[in-house]
Amino acid sequence: MIITLLSNINYSDFKMANYLIKDIINDNYLNEEVILKGWVYRIRGSNKRIFLLLRDPSNIIQCVIEKESDESLYKLAKKITIESSIEISGVVKKDERSPIGYELHIKKLKIIGLAEPFPITKDQSIEYLLDKRHLWLRSRKLISIMKIRSTVLQSAREWFNKNGFIEVSTPMIITAACEGGATLFNLNYFNHKAYLTQSSQLYLEALIYSLGRVYVIAPSFRAEKSRTVRHLTEFWHLEAEQPFCDNEQNMKYQEELIEYIIKSVREINKNELKILNRDKLPEIKKPFPRIKYDEAIETLQKKGVNIMWGNDLGTEEEKILTLNNRLPIFIYNYPKKVKGFYHKPDDNNPEVVNCADLLAPEGHGEIIGGGQRIHDKELLIKRIKEENLDINEYEWYIDLRKYGTVPHSGFGLGVERVIKWICGLDHIRDAIPFPRTINRVYP
Ligand code: NSS
């Protein structure tokens, strides 16, 4: 770290102040001297004055240094480079042209870490920016997204806590696949075969017998071989499970949760939505339309899509179904062969299961997958065998149907998928600080 001090500045009055830009951009601080710490976002100058934009975690403020009022300060400021960390003391002034309405007239300046030439400039390729992700995270866009991400997680927790769900933790190293073998990451676990989990669902199912309503927020891992704008190999999964609950009730909980999350983001993240050009994110009110899988297939066929009953819906199909929607939609009762072994077959038609996917509007597509689970032991064993899964690996899971089995349902929400929708992103990778995709595990 380089510390640059200028002898004629008295640093004894630099205190460890905890001001953030957001705290001081109001009339209470007008003409007051405040101390701020942060990074230099932009800098430009003339031979009379220097304007620098100071960024801290809360906002960006323009700071002015006049050569005429303090030449040594001006000289020091001339040395500053983009992304240097600095501490400043300055007087808050009104500035009609500023988007935040205020600017700072610098009185004192300390360079804490003089930055080398910052490698991120305009017009760089996406791949280059992903290589420099650890630095690109300082961009306005990513800062705004990460703040919204925090609200999504925080508000979801709030909603679960308000509704009597208990937060639990589940293992990430597992032996029994939840969503089929195709996307499992293998792990050599002291010479035993193990995997990284694709979903915490099976473990949540075990926990409902002791805790009732439960939820977990944890990573899930999928060796997704397809390169799409909505698949990560490591994503954050918000999963919930509850006893004495059918698919219909399960959908009602999802609607409420989504309504709550969107309301929170609209209230808390007005600035961030604006920066992302997403201030038009509409209010989302339940109930969401419910469309039977059969009907969805018919709609797609009428639109000329080459799809048959029995096919799963992919990125393209979901895009077509949701492009012009304002609300999310549920698609329910999928064919059993395109869904996990654990789904409960429908009483009237065992070829379909009591499940539902929730698809986000504006073409974003699936954000939640959920449904009612098989609670009958024999039926579960039959389905495990039909899917050619190793029954021994599921012994503990079958046990749950032996001791006080109960109808139960749950769902899994892809956190980055929801953020992609809320922020209106083209690609899911920007919904997480350090994305993991088929061709990227660095940085
Ligand atoms: O495969 S899911 O549809 N369902 C499950 O995993 C259930 N076991 C969840 C449960 O009922 N507890 O995945 C759930 C959601 C899905 O809707 C997506 O939003 C998200 O998880 N998901 C993903 N997000 C990002 N990348 C990938 N690869 C991905 N796969 C699923």
Side-chain angles (χ1 to χ4, degrees):
M1 193 194 293
I2 303 159
I3 307 268
T4 312
L5 293 178
L6 216 73
S7 55
N8 62 345
I9 290 176
N10 178 9
Y11 286 98
S12 58
D13 6 321
F14 269 64
K15 298 183 190 88
M16 294 299 284
N18 282 323
Y19 280 127
L20 287 172
I21 296 167
K22 74 172 168 58
D23 302 327
I24 56 111
I25 48 175
N26 61 66
D27 280 357
N28 294 338
Y29 286 90
L30 200 57
N31 300 321
E32 293 287 320
E33 190 165 338
V34 297
I35 294 170
L36 293 173
K37 294 169 191 160
W39 292 264
V40 177
Y41 189 67
R42 297 267 184 279
I43 185 155
R44 69 189 162 85
S46 65
N47 48 14
K48 281 196 182 143
R49 58 185 69 85
I50 291 172
F51 293 102
L52 65 85
L53 291 181
L54 178 81
R55 171 177 63 76
D56 79 3
S58 73
N59 213 325
I60 292 178
I61 191 168
Q62 172 163 282
C63 306
V64 193
I65 296 160
E66 300 281 352
K67 187 176 180 184
E68 209 178 71
S69 33
D70 189 335
E71 183 138 7
S72 54
L73 189 67
Y74 175 85
K75 272 191 185 152
L76 177 61
K78 275 268 182 201
K79 293 186 189 167
I80 293 178
T81 48
I82 298 271
E83 285 306 323
S84 291
S85 51
I86 58 171
E87 182 175 340
I88 55 175
S89 174
V91 179
V92 180
K93 297 280 179 194
K94 276 233 197 283
D95 177 13
E96 301 302 333
R97 288 157 304 171
S98 151
I100 56 171
Y102 297 86
E103 66 176 16
L104 209 68
H105 287 203
I106 298 189
K107 297 276 173 218
K108 293 178 204 137
L109 163 70
K110 184 157 82 178
I111 300 173
I112 297 168
L114 188 66
E116 293 179 25
F118 199 60
I120 297 185
T121 52
K122 271 190 182 158
D123 303 326
Q124 275 155 333
S125 74
I126 296 284
E127 280 310 307
Y128 179 83
L129 291 172
L130 284 165
D131 282 339
K132 300 284 180 206
R133 185 68 166 195
H134 49 296
L135 303 176
W136 190 23
L137 286 167
R138 303 179 191 191
S139 68
R140 270 193 175 193
K141 177 180 170 183
L142 288 180
I143 290 172
S144 303
I145 297 169
M146 296 316 146
K147 286 183 180 174
I148 289 173
R149 182 182 172 99
S150 168
T151 307
V152 168
L153 291 172
Q154 196 115 359
S155 59
R157 281 202 165 92
E158 241 169 58
W159 184 89
F160 279 119
N161 293 340
K162 278 184 187 166
N163 285 281
F165 284 77
I166 290 184
E167 183 166 6
V168 298
S169 305
T170 49
M172 301 296 104
I173 300 174
I174 52 103
T175 52
C178 182
E179 297 299 323
T183 64
L184 281 172
F185 276 112
N186 293 294
L187 203 70
N188 178 350
Y189 194 75
F190 306 109
N191 296 326
H192 287 277
K193 215 160 133 186
Y195 312 103
L196 291 177
T197 193
Q198 301 158 310
S199 158
S200 296
Q201 178 195 321
L202 307 189
Y203 292 93
L204 288 182
E205 287 185 58
L207 285 157
I208 61 166
Y209 293 86
S210 51
L211 298 172
R213 294 174 179 171
V214 288
Y215 76 100
V216 66
I217 302 179
S220 279
F221 304 88
R222 297 195 188 179
E224 301 281 3
K225 303 223 171 58
S226 53
R227 239 184 263 185
T228 79
V229 297
R230 58 175 206 170
H231 285 95
L232 294 166
T233 52
E234 178 184 271
F235 67 95
W236 282 76
H237 210 166
L238 191 162
E239 296 183 89
E241 197 71 29
Q242 54 176 322
F244 311 105
C245 175
D246 64 13
N247 192 40
E248 188 53 42
Q249 284 169 306
N250 197 35
M251 287 193 267
K252 288 195 175 136
Y253 277 89
Q254 294 168 48
E255 286 173 331
E256 274 190 34
L257 170 65
I258 292 292
E259 190 180 297
Y260 192 84
I261 291 174
I262 300 294
K263 183 169 168 278
S264 306
V265 171
R266 277 168 47 94
E267 275 170 21
I268 297 169
N269 298 108
K270 285 195 180 77
N271 282 341
E272 287 74 27
L273 289 172
K274 210 169 180 178
I275 291 170
L276 297 169
N277 285 326
R278 197 58 173 131
D279 20 359
K280 290 200 178 65
L281 175 72
E283 196 180 7
I284 298 292
K285 284 264 173 222
K286 59 175 195 199
F288 303 162
R290 288 147 165 71
I291 296 163
K292 224 179 181 158
Y293 166 86
D294 303 12
E295 201 187 313
I297 294 295
E298 275 172 31
T299 306
L300 287 167
Q301 285 171 342
K302 275 187 199 146
K303 287 185 189 257
V305 179
N306 184 12
I307 192 166
M308 309 254 292
W309 195 97
N311 296 153
D312 202 0
L313 304 180
T315 309
E316 271 315 300
E317 289 80 24
E318 290 182 3
K319 195 171 178 177
I320 294 169
L321 288 171
T322 60
L323 204 53
N324 298 317
N325 296 355
R326 213 188 65 84
L327 283 177
I329 54 170
F330 284 110
I331 311 272
Y332 67 99
N333 282 14
Y334 281 69
K336 106 182 150 183
K337 64 176 189 183
V338 298
K339 289 288 171 188
F341 70 94
Y342 50 76
H343 281 107
K344 181 188 160 297
D346 188 72
D347 289 338
N348 300 317
N349 175 10
E351 283 312 302
V352 302
V353 288
N354 294 151
C355 72
D357 281 358
L358 184 65
L359 313 190
E362 302 167 53
H364 287 282
E366 183 185 340
I367 50 173
I368 298 184
Q372 188 168 348
R373 326 302 189 187
I374 296 172
H375 67 280
D376 177 77
K377 186 184 78 178
E378 297 311 322
L379 181 57
L380 183 63
I381 293 172
K382 183 168 158 257
R383 287 292 294 129
I384 290 173
K385 286 183 178 162
E386 273 174 10
E387 296 291 319
N388 292 322
L389 296 165
D390 179 357
I391 198 98
N392 298 317
E393 297 293 354
Y394 294 88
E395 211 176 304
W396 68 266
Y397 185 65
I398 296 165
D399 259 1
L400 303 174
R401 276 72 183 164
K402 289 189 198 166
Y403 308 106
T405 192
V406 48
H408 61 287
S409 301
F411 60 90
L413 171 154
V415 172
E416 291 77 20
R417 294 262 182 107
V418 168
I419 294 165
K420 177 178 178 283
W421 162 43
I422 291 178
C423 297
L425 306 177
D426 298 333
H427 201 293
I428 193 168
R429 66 183 160 227
D430 283 341
I432 187 164
F434 295 97
R436 297 289 178 253
T437 54
I438 185 166
N439 53 1
R440 181 163 294 277
V441 280
Y442 174 94

